[in-house]
Amino acid sequence: MTVLLPPPTAPVTLPRLGALLRHAAPRVLEGMVLPVAVFYAGLMLFGLYGALAVAVTWVYGGIAWRLAKGTPVPGTVLLAAGTVTVRAVLAGATGSPVLFFLQPCLGVFCVSMGFLFTAPLRRPLIQRVATDLLPLPEHVLGHPRMRRFFVWQSVLWGGVQFLNASLSLWLLLSQSVQTYLVVRTSLVALLLGGAGLVSVLSLRHCLRRLGR
């Protein structure tokens, strides 16, 4: 009688933390810091309608720059361009900057619920996000220790994103747009950066235990 044993768990290593940070920094700068800085500068110099025009120009300028360099434009960037256009039209039509920022807040709420509600599933949402950034072998993903890791990560990021959305919504509805932009960007960067560091260190620990 032949007994088929599962394949041994091959050691899986992550890049050094510094390399991960260097990889993430340009994306955080492009996706979080610069759009806020551009909108804030436009608001200070040209008022609400000028800021909306600058924000839309910034997004489509990024697409044009990629096309000029012959770089493929990610679908997420095209989706962001369409979204920011609709948000700018709504905010411009009503004269309320709140509508420009309300949709992202509600979107973060939905993401947080997605992380929390899919935590007990065989392949939770956080696992899909993680494997897009760092492909892992199937025999590693199926290990019970990794299953527990992704449940914990679902709770972590679900809670962090819920706090992010709650904080953003409170600032948006209770403070000026200028205060919202400065305070929200700073606090969210610290919040997400801290959660990202915890996730990387937890994954390193989990993979190290699997390699024993």
Side-chain angles (χ1 to χ4, degrees):
M1 179 178 178
T2 303
V3 179
L4 297 178
L5 297 177
T9 303
V12 180
T13 58
L14 285 174
R16 292 184 179 275
L17 184 58
L20 288 173
L21 292 176
R22 288 192 297 272
H23 177 77
R27 290 158 179 77
V28 173
L29 185 66
E30 180 183 8
M32 291 182 60
V33 178
L34 288 180
V36 174
V38 166
F39 184 89
Y40 185 77
L43 189 65
M44 293 294 98
L45 294 174
F46 311 115
L48 173 62
Y49 294 101
L52 295 174
V54 168
V56 173
T57 302
W58 170 264
V59 174
Y60 283 98
I63 294 176
W65 174 255
R66 284 183 169 89
L67 293 175
K69 294 195 305 179
T71 305
V73 180
T76 52
V77 174
L78 295 175
L79 181 61
T83 302
V84 78
T85 302
V86 173
R87 289 163 54 198
V89 169
L90 290 175
T94 60
S96 173
V98 172
L99 290 180
F100 186 77
F101 298 105
L102 183 60
Q103 183 270 336
C105 293
L106 298 179
V108 174
F109 268 122
C110 293
V111 170
S112 71
M113 294 299 102
F115 286 148
L116 293 173
F117 290 157
T118 62
L121 300 183
R122 179 174 179 82
R123 194 181 181 200
L125 178 60
I126 194 67
Q127 180 177 333
R128 297 172 183 270
V129 175
T131 51
D132 284 343
L133 300 174
L134 181 69
L136 294 171
E138 285 297 326
H139 68 275
V140 172
L141 293 174
H143 195 280
R145 188 179 296 276
M146 287 298 297
R147 301 269 300 153
R148 292 193 294 272
F149 167 80
F150 283 120
V151 170
W152 142 244
Q153 289 297 305
S154 295
V155 174
L156 171 66
W157 281 98
V160 165
Q161 293 289 36
F162 185 84
L163 181 58
N164 172 12
S166 301
L167 174 65
S168 300
L169 189 59
W170 175 77
L171 287 170
L172 180 62
L173 298 179
S174 65
Q175 306 296 320
S176 67
V177 173
Q178 292 86 343
T179 301
Y180 168 83
L181 290 172
V182 175
V183 177
R184 188 257 181 190
T185 302
S186 303
L187 291 181
V188 169
L190 289 174
L191 183 65
L192 298 186
L197 180 60
V198 170
S199 293
V200 171
L201 295 178
S202 299
L203 181 57
R204 282 185 177 277
H205 176 73
C206 185
L207 293 177
R208 191 177 298 115
R209 295 292 296 271
L210 285 177
R212 290 181 178 179

